[in-house]
Amino acid sequence: MEDGGPVLRRKSRPACARKRSREGAQPRGSCSPPAQKRPSPRAEEQPAAASPEYNNDSEEDMFGDYDSFSGNDSLLAQVDNMEQECIQSIDLVSHTKITENKDTLEPAFGDLQVQNGRSKEIIFSDVTGFKTEEESHSWRTTTEQENRTLEHGDCISDDLPSSQLLDFEEMNNSSVVTKPSATKESPNDTNFCLDKMLNQLSCHYNAELSTRNNELSPSTTGNLSKRKSLKDHLKNTMTENAKAQIPQVSRTKQLKEAVLSEEICAAEKTMETSSVDIGPFYGLPSKVKDLLVQFRGIEQLYEWQHTCLTLESLQQRRNLIYSLPTSGGKTLVAEILILQELLCRQKDVLMVLPYVAIVQEKVWALSGFGLELGFLVEEYAGSKGRFPPIKRRIKKSLYIATIEKGHNLVNSLIETGRLGDLGLVVVDELHMLGEGSRGAILEMILAKILYTSKTTQIIGMSATLNNVGDLQQFLQAEYYANNFRPVELKEYVKIQDSIYEVDSKAENGLIFSRRLNFKYSSSLQKMDPDHIIALVTEVIPNYSCLVFCPTKKNCENVAEMICKYLNKEYRNHKEKEKQDLIKDLKNIGKGSLCPILKRTIPFGIAYHHSGLISDERKRIEEAYSAGVLCLLTCTSTLAAGVNLPARRVILRAPYIATEFLKKNQYKQMIGRAGRAGIDNAGESILIVQEKDKHLVQDLINSPLENCYSNLLLEVTKGLQSLLLSLVGLKIARNSEDIYHFMCGTLFGVQQQFLSKEKSLSSVTREALECLIEKGLLKEKITSEKEQKSQSNLEITQLGQATYKGSVDLAYCDTLYRDLKKGLEGLVLESCLHLLYLTTPYDVTSHCSPDWMIYFRQFSQLNSAEQKVAAIVGVPESFIMKKASGQAIKKDVDSGIVNRLYLSFVLYALLKETNIWNVAEKFNMSRGYVQNLLNLAASFSSCVLHFCEELEDFWVYKALLTDLIKRLTYCVKAELIPLMEVAGILESRAKQLYDSGYKTLAHLANANPETLVKMIPHLSRRQARQIVSSAKMLLSEKAEALQEEVEELLRVPTDISEDLLTTLP
């Protein structure tokens, strides 16, 4: 709220003490509240506001704490006093002499104002009538002196029940106050208004007074006597409202909504006019703080978070990179900045996350905030997302996207000239800039935003950054770092049976800590030479433990080995919950359960890697978080995925597959040790063989790896793809523009390290020549003069389709040929042909068909489906000879053969929708089958956008739309509406459907408590998130339809007024 503005705070008091003693609003400080555990100043002013008793709206009746409207004598007494004062004031004016020589008389109106300050006075500023300047001044002085005797803070509306406040609002809205003009024809009527009695937030009242004549005749007195008493009017209104049905709107809710609205407005004005955030919670409404407590249980911010949020660079909207250890609370800072952008600056926000699972988790987490604070949360992952996004005029959007979808989104905003709508871009795991093709795409996103928008702020965060200087130069950003961890982390290294503590001050970085005290039999020593059982039994089952293994198979073996030698008493810990978990996993597998999990779960142990399907992983993660499972054996992907902390983290070996561990990977894994609010400390133990001892010493003493651009290394997905899109988006029109753009990329910053032999201009020139050679770009030359000067570049139709579809340049020609060939004889008796065309090219090289299975599946196809194989170039004779081991004289392209084999897998999935059965049929892991399905859904979306840019492929547009939906969900049609909700997978959708929640509307209007009772093993937190996500999706769809309607009804702006004028 602005300085000097009225502050309304209702406090619950007994009926005998209803008079309020309010202090004036204190101006807010320019800095945000401190991070320490102590209530904000606003909270200290109103302790009763947080009272559970008062916040229970259902307990309030329309008379508040009174039995009736006459329950307090002081109320009517105050009304009488005010009425008498009004009459006295008017009488005073009626007996005043009128100056005869005045040419012009100025009318005046009465305003009842409550002035803000330490002493609140009820002041009648003017009175209805005509006065000279001296008389007006004399009247004001007299009235002010009389009214100073009123007790501070007394106001009728304070003691009125909520029903009367609503009635006053309606009266105020319906009243029409007509201000007379100072002309020769003086008005016959003037209104004496009691306007804005308390403040503009809640209660208003207008009392219409009787008319008076210009000549101030004796009839004035008669008119006043006929006036209806204010006291009588209040009595009648209260009686009528008591009898009438009034809406169930509590005072608490009204006031909270009014305060929230005003705080948002005040924060908006502050953001526009000042570089310093002013507000109850870092420039945000106080409701945000309440929601953090409600949804996250966060009652205070860490000191570093407060420091970071109040940095001068953020106040001045400069770009920022900040780095802290894992679990330090980085995400909360980003979320507060996101809310500031959405609510205060009224701009859209893009949040870029590395994996689909994390995107879905974040959509879940922020949907509740969106519903409460009035913004939309939109998911851009897999095949989800609309390009360009719908332009919202009322609500702002938070786009939560994977790297690939984020790139497509930014491209679409640039193309439609709407990048300015994006006020903030937040990038989690910024170090991914240095990781392969995904890093190259992330660099493209940031470079395009920096080049095309000067108003979009960029915030990057990571736990593992080293060469920050390069990143600062690239992002034109400030840097903030802190070593804070909510729980202390102790690092250890185990060599044989000795454990050493990592200490950077020691000579070799290690200090002897203790020797393992666990009796091993000779057989156990052979089975467990690394003493994993000894290490895990020190913490489980009372505490949690993660064991990182180099490979997926090693995860399964270690889990089984531990269970084989554990005491049987471990089975008794939460036995019922473990049986429920096994039952749930069986339902997910439609009767099938992994035999390893069946043996390990009774001991509270499970494995976690990409071989599990999404439903299984999610259920195991839930069980681990709930303490049903106390140990997970996992691969390194868990460290970069969802947050599953543990008391102790064990690294089975310093390897990921066959590659030695990098410092960044090591830090991410051990960062999972220590659970804030649960453990006092976290431990990490790296198991090392004697041969790797020196490598490990180098590892723990070395700095984090540098982050280098991958634009040059990833040729087709990197530099060439970037240059193609620059021309397609008209960001650059010639090689000069492109060179200028490239100087601002991370590659441009690091060019001297990455390409020592060639200059930046020569590297870009070679890439452009390659694109022209492929037919994706062409030089536009229209005259001889232009030939001598700088020629312009133009994108071809194929190039436009390639960058719009985000197709890898290595496969764009092949995709075009396959689609063109498909038009010659597209088989539509089944979807097999379409599935072949949408099977990703880059997975075929990792496929090794089982030829007997291949031939068996081919033999089960009908004649139309077998025709597809012949059309794409895989004859039956070839498959039969391969299956029988015969020699092949004429070889067939292995890429086509493998692609057809994978399309058989997808075809079987769409027919059966049972991943377990299909995986068994093709002798593949169920995780691999599901990953193939996800990749196919994403690639089919790319193919659709590719076809939309080429007129020849119009037929594919309608065909692919339905196929994308089937591939995305791969379930029965009735479950698709439920699975559109973020985080709901097949097993949960089936449970909801069977319980009667068959549509999105059913789910959005569900009661979370009812869901908990009806859906097995669903926690209250999960139920609330499901309902919030469903409401958010429903709101998003409704908003989209409303926007479409308004767009259709809007009068065109690009047409002359003459054409719009109706002819007579």
Side-chain angles (χ1 to χ4, degrees):
M1 267 173 259
E2 296 176 359
D3 295 351
V7 177
L8 178 62
R9 290 289 183 270
R10 289 190 174 270
K11 300 183 180 181
S12 180
R13 294 188 182 181
C16 60
R18 293 298 292 176
K19 288 188 177 182
R20 291 167 175 75
S21 176
R22 291 198 186 93
E23 294 182 4
Q26 300 297 325
R28 280 203 198 98
S30 61
C31 62
S32 302
Q36 303 299 324
K37 266 191 177 176
R38 57 173 179 264
S40 65
R42 296 292 295 276
E44 292 174 356
E45 290 176 14
Q46 44 165 342
S51 168
E53 179 183 358
Y54 186 73
N55 284 340
N56 189 351
D57 297 342
S58 62
E59 293 180 3
E60 297 187 41
D61 60 20
M62 66 180 181
F63 295 115
D65 293 334
Y66 301 123
D67 294 329
S68 70
F69 64 82
S70 60
N72 184 5
D73 294 336
S74 65
L75 171 64
L76 297 180
Q78 290 174 43
V79 174
D80 280 336
N81 290 339
M82 290 192 63
E83 184 179 8
Q84 292 302 320
E85 288 167 3
C86 292
I87 294 171
Q88 290 171 10
S89 301
I90 295 171
D91 289 341
L92 176 65
V93 176
S94 68
H95 290 88
T96 304
K97 290 183 178 181
I98 305 174
T99 305
E100 296 180 359
N101 297 327
K102 283 286 180 183
D103 295 332
T104 306
L105 298 178
E106 294 291 339
F109 293 88
D111 291 319
L112 179 65
Q113 300 175 338
V114 180
Q115 300 295 335
N116 186 50
R118 291 189 174 272
S119 60
K120 292 192 175 180
E121 304 169 348
I122 300 178
I123 301 172
F124 288 90
S125 59
D126 297 313
V127 178
T128 304
F130 303 95
K131 309 180 291 297
T132 64
E133 184 176 351
E134 293 177 358
E135 290 168 338
S136 177
H137 176 72
S138 173
W139 181 88
R140 285 195 183 97
T141 305
T142 305
T143 308
E144 287 174 3
Q145 290 173 352
E146 290 173 354
N147 285 314
R148 286 196 184 100
T149 61
L150 292 176
E151 183 175 340
H152 295 313
D154 283 358
C155 181
I156 296 174
S157 62
D158 289 349
D159 291 324
L160 291 181
S162 59
S163 58
Q164 306 315 312
L165 298 180
L166 287 174
D167 183 70
F168 281 3
E169 287 181 9
E170 293 175 3
M171 291 178 62
N172 182 65
N173 292 335
S174 63
S175 299
V176 179
V177 181
T178 307
K179 182 175 182 179
S181 57
T183 61
K184 291 182 180 180
E185 295 182 9
S186 301
N188 296 324
D189 306 316
T190 56
N191 294 327
F192 182 83
C193 302
L194 295 175
D195 189 32
K196 301 180 181 176
M197 286 179 56
L198 179 60
N199 52 48
Q200 56 186 331
L201 291 178
S202 55
C203 40
H204 302 276
Y205 180 73
N206 291 334
E208 188 176 290
L209 299 177
S210 60
T211 60
R212 62 191 304 276
N213 197 286
N214 287 344
E215 298 176 358
L216 292 175
S217 64
S219 63
T220 304
T221 308
N223 290 337
L224 287 172
S225 65
K226 294 177 184 178
R227 182 178 58 82
K228 191 173 183 178
S229 167
L230 175 61
K231 172 180 172 182
D232 292 337
H233 180 78
L234 281 174
K235 280 184 178 180
N236 291 338
T237 303
M238 290 177 176
T239 305
E240 289 170 4
N241 285 351
K243 294 177 182 179
Q245 292 289 332
I246 63 171
Q248 297 296 317
V249 181
S250 69
R251 289 178 300 175
T252 308
K253 186 173 181 180
Q254 288 178 306
L255 297 179
K256 280 184 177 179
E257 289 178 353
V259 170
L260 171 62
S261 176
E262 182 163 334
E263 286 177 347
I264 288 178
C265 292
E268 277 184 38
K269 291 178 182 177
T270 301
M271 291 295 182
E272 290 173 2
T273 58
S274 173
S275 62
V276 181
D277 294 352
I278 300 178
F281 187 69
Y282 299 100
L284 290 165
S286 55
K287 187 173 183 179
V288 173
K289 190 174 182 180
D290 298 334
L291 292 175
L292 285 174
V293 176
Q294 179 184 341
F295 294 148
R296 306 282 180 80
I298 297 173
E299 297 182 356
Q300 65 171 14
L301 267 62
Y302 296 128
E303 187 176 348
W304 83 263
Q305 291 172 328
H306 169 72
T307 303
C308 187
L309 285 167
T310 53
L311 287 173
E312 186 181 354
S313 56
L314 286 182
Q315 307 303 325
Q316 296 177 359
R317 285 188 58 75
R318 294 202 294 268
N319 297 341
L320 178 70
I321 301 169
Y322 63 100
S323 177
L324 277 96
T326 304
S327 304
K330 296 185 296 296
T331 305
L332 179 59
V333 170
E335 288 174 350
I336 291 174
L337 294 174
I338 286 170
L339 293 177
Q340 286 177 351
E341 198 68 32
L342 290 165
L343 301 180
C344 302
R345 298 188 182 94
Q346 289 291 300
K347 291 282 189 177
D348 296 330
V349 177
L350 169 62
M351 189 177 197
V352 181
L353 301 170
Y355 304 111
V356 174
I358 304 179
V359 168
Q360 292 175 341
E361 185 182 32
K362 189 56 66 178
V363 170
W364 264 47
L366 293 178
S367 290
F369 287 88
L371 289 172
E372 293 290 337
L373 299 171
F375 62 87
L376 298 174
V377 180
E378 301 185 37
E379 179 184 351
Y380 281 75
S383 60
K384 292 183 179 180
R386 192 190 300 242
F387 305 105
I390 296 173
K391 185 175 177 62
R392 318 280 184 184
R393 284 185 295 278
I394 302 174
K395 292 186 177 181
K396 296 304 171 184
S397 293
L398 167 58
Y399 310 114
I400 304 180
T402 56
I403 294 172
E404 293 78 8
K405 287 293 180 179
H407 186 219
N408 294 344
L409 180 66
V410 169
N411 281 346
S412 67
L413 290 174
I414 293 173
E415 185 178 21
T416 53
R418 289 169 47 196
L419 191 61
D421 294 343
L422 206 60
L424 176 67
V425 175
V426 175
V427 179
D428 195 6
E429 310 294 355
L430 186 64
H431 62 268
M432 290 198 72
L433 277 167
E435 298 186 10
S437 61
R438 305 193 80 214
I441 296 172
L442 182 57
E443 184 178 344
M444 292 182 211
I445 296 174
L446 298 173
K448 288 175 182 176
I449 292 170
L450 288 166
Y451 191 83
T452 57
S453 174
K454 303 305 179 187
T455 59
T456 304
Q457 187 182 20
I458 296 175
I459 304 292
M461 52 181 170
S462 175
T464 53
L465 289 176
N466 190 34
N467 56 330
V468 179
D470 289 351
L471 299 180
Q472 281 186 265
Q473 188 178 344
F474 166 45
L475 295 177
Q476 304 159 29
E478 302 291 321
Y479 179 59
Y480 176 83
N482 198 302
N483 291 322
F484 171 82
R485 273 186 60 93
V487 177
E488 182 187 3
L489 172 62
K490 296 181 179 179
E491 298 178 43
Y492 297 96
V493 172
K494 177 193 161 298
I495 304 173
Q496 294 181 351
D497 62 348
S498 298
I499 296 181
Y500 300 86
E501 185 174 356
V502 175
D503 187 349
S504 58
K505 297 177 182 178
E507 185 178 348
N508 60 358
L510 299 174
I511 298 176
F512 177 80
S513 177
R514 64 187 175 95
R515 200 172 297 277
L516 275 176
N517 185 20
F518 190 87
K519 295 182 180 179
Y520 269 77
S521 63
S522 57
S523 60
L524 182 56
Q525 183 69 35
K526 290 180 181 178
M527 289 295 297
D528 183 24
D530 295 324
H531 308 101
I532 295 175
I533 294 174
L535 294 173
V536 300
T537 51
E538 289 179 349
V539 290
I540 65 170
N542 296 323
Y543 299 99
S544 57
C545 182
L546 294 175
V547 180
F548 285 101
C549 302
T551 64
K552 289 184 283 188
K553 188 62 180 174
N554 193 229
C555 289
E556 298 171 12
N557 292 341
V558 169
E560 276 203 290
M561 183 268 292
I562 294 172
C563 292
K564 192 176 292 185
Y565 292 96
L566 279 183
N567 193 305
K568 301 300 180 185
E569 293 177 359
Y570 283 90
R571 300 175 67 100
N572 300 329
H573 183 73
K574 297 192 176 183
E575 185 175 6
K576 182 182 180 301
E577 289 88 342
K578 292 171 185 172
Q579 292 304 317
D580 290 339
L581 174 58
I582 290 174
K583 190 185 299 183
D584 286 352
L585 291 173
K586 273 187 178 179
N587 291 334
I588 289 170
K590 298 179 181 177
S592 301
L593 176 65
C594 172
I596 296 174
L597 291 176
K598 188 176 182 180
R599 290 191 293 270
T600 62
I601 287 176
F603 290 92
I605 297 172
Y607 64 85
H608 183 288
H609 57 61
S610 60
L612 296 168
I613 62 174
S614 300
D615 291 60
E616 289 175 320
R617 279 202 303 272
K618 193 172 185 65
R619 187 66 186 92
I620 286 172
E621 289 164 4
E622 290 171 359
Y624 176 81
S625 298
V628 177
L629 296 175
C630 56
L631 188 147
L632 293 181
T633 58
C634 50
T635 54
S636 59
T637 52
L638 186 139
V642 292
N643 187 22
L644 294 176
R647 172 65 172 271
R648 177 175 287 181
V649 169
I650 300 171
L651 279 68
R652 170 74 177 77
Y655 290 92
I656 293 179
T658 57
E659 292 185 8
F660 194 78
L661 204 61
K662 294 178 181 177
K663 184 63 174 282
N664 290 350
Q665 296 166 333
Y666 170 72
K667 283 292 186 182
Q668 279 197 320
M669 290 182 194
I670 66 172
R672 295 300 183 194
R675 298 170 297 173
I678 301 175
D679 300 325
N680 295 324
E683 301 173 339
S684 71
I685 301 175
L686 173 59
I687 299 174
V688 180
Q689 304 301 321
E690 196 67 42
K691 64 182 180 67
D692 295 325
K693 182 177 177 180
H694 295 294
L695 291 174
V696 169
Q697 286 177 343
D698 292 340
L699 173 71
I700 60 178
N701 293 319
S702 65
L704 294 166
E705 285 82 13
N706 288 334
C707 180
Y708 290 115
S709 170
N710 277 271
L711 282 180
L712 191 59
L713 298 176
E714 298 290 332
V715 181
T716 56
K717 288 185 179 180
L719 185 58
Q720 290 183 14
S721 178
L722 172 60
L723 301 188
L724 179 65
S725 64
L726 291 180
V727 178
L729 292 168
K730 297 180 174 58
I731 295 174
R733 299 178 182 275
N734 51 55
S735 56
E736 234 176 68
D737 293 343
I738 288 174
Y739 177 79
H740 186 252
F741 179 94
M742 289 301 300
C743 289
T745 62
L746 180 61
F747 175 69
V749 172
Q750 299 175 333
Q751 189 266 334
Q752 54 183 338
F753 302 108
L754 302 178
S755 180
K756 296 180 181 179
E757 298 178 357
K758 298 179 182 178
S759 65
L760 180 62
S761 58
S762 62
V763 168
T764 54
R765 187 168 55 252
E766 287 179 9
L768 286 172
E769 289 171 357
C770 187
L771 290 171
I772 293 170
E773 187 179 335
K774 287 182 177 181
L776 302 175
L777 290 180
K778 61 182 179 182
E779 290 184 293
K780 185 181 178 183
I781 301 173
T782 56
S783 65
E784 293 182 4
K785 292 182 180 180
E786 202 168 330
Q787 281 183 334
K788 296 177 182 178
S789 62
Q790 180 69 56
S791 61
N792 287 337
L793 294 166
E794 194 175 71
I795 196 167
T796 64
Q797 272 196 319
L798 179 60
Q800 183 85 355
T802 301
Y803 104 81
K804 281 285 193 73
S806 299
V807 177
D808 188 342
L809 271 60
Y811 306 117
C812 62
D813 286 334
T814 308
L815 176 62
Y816 181 83
R817 287 196 300 269
D818 287 345
L819 291 170
K820 194 74 173 175
K821 188 176 181 181
L823 290 177
E824 297 172 6
L826 190 61
V827 178
L828 296 177
E829 281 88 342
S830 73
C831 63
L832 179 60
H833 200 169
L834 279 175
L835 283 172
Y836 171 81
L837 294 173
T838 55
T839 300
Y841 291 99
D842 50 2
V843 296
T844 58
S845 58
H846 307 295
C847 174
S848 300
D850 184 314
W851 293 106
M852 287 302 299
I853 295 174
Y854 205 151
F855 182 70
R856 191 185 307 124
Q857 292 299 314
F858 182 88
S859 302
Q860 293 173 3
L861 299 175
N862 60 39
S863 57
E865 292 165 343
Q866 288 183 354
K867 184 182 177 183
V868 173
I871 291 173
V872 300
V874 183
E876 180 182 3
S877 58
F878 173 81
I879 301 172
M880 184 177 65
K881 289 179 179 179
K882 276 287 189 180
S884 61
Q886 298 180 32
I888 305 294
K889 294 181 179 179
K890 187 179 179 181
D891 206 355
V892 180
D893 186 347
S894 61
I896 296 175
V897 173
N898 293 352
R899 198 174 182 217
L900 182 64
Y901 184 69
L902 293 176
S903 66
F904 283 177
V905 177
L906 294 170
Y907 188 45
L909 264 176
L910 292 187
K911 286 196 296 184
E912 295 190 31
T913 70
N914 188 329
I915 292 177
W916 273 87
N917 291 348
V918 174
E920 187 177 344
K921 187 180 292 184
F922 285 88
N923 194 25
M924 295 175 171
S925 74
R926 56 195 184 281
Y928 177 85
V929 172
Q930 187 173 60
N931 185 51
L932 173 64
L933 182 66
N934 294 336
L935 291 172
S938 184
F939 185 66
S940 62
S941 179
C942 295
V943 175
L944 174 61
H945 293 306
F946 182 89
C947 293
E948 285 174 344
E949 300 300 319
L950 299 168
E951 293 181 6
D952 293 348
F953 297 151
W954 62 269
V955 69
Y956 289 116
K957 298 176 189 177
L959 296 172
L960 288 173
T961 303
D962 181 63
L963 183 66
I964 291 170
K965 184 172 283 191
R966 292 180 66 187
L967 287 170
T968 300
Y969 301 109
C970 193
V971 293
K972 293 180 180 178
E974 61 264 22
L975 297 182
I976 290 178
L978 298 177
M979 289 189 67
E980 288 179 342
V981 179
I984 292 185
L985 301 176
E986 183 181 1
S987 59
R988 186 70 79 200
K990 195 173 186 308
Q991 286 179 328
L992 292 166
Y993 189 87
D994 293 341
S995 299
Y997 299 97
K998 301 180 184 296
T999 66
L1000 181 61
H1002 288 161
L1003 204 52
N1005 290 283
N1007 186 333
E1009 293 298 325
T1010 307
L1011 280 179
V1012 171
K1013 293 175 183 176
M1014 297 185 70
I1015 308 299
H1017 319 305
L1018 183 69
S1019 68
R1020 280 179 173 78
R1021 175 177 169 272
Q1022 291 168 337
R1024 286 195 297 267
Q1025 285 182 327
I1026 286 174
V1027 173
S1028 294
S1029 296
K1031 284 181 178 178
M1032 177 56 66
L1033 182 59
L1034 193 64
S1035 173
E1036 184 187 326
K1037 289 189 173 187
E1039 288 276 340
L1041 291 173
Q1042 184 63 34
E1043 296 282 350
E1044 190 174 341
V1045 169
E1046 291 181 10
E1047 186 67 32
L1048 288 171
L1049 297 177
R1050 188 180 298 109
V1051 177
T1053 57
D1054 56 347
I1055 189 170
S1056 66
E1057 293 183 6
D1058 295 337
L1059 296 176
L1060 293 175
T1061 304
T1062 306
L1063 294 174

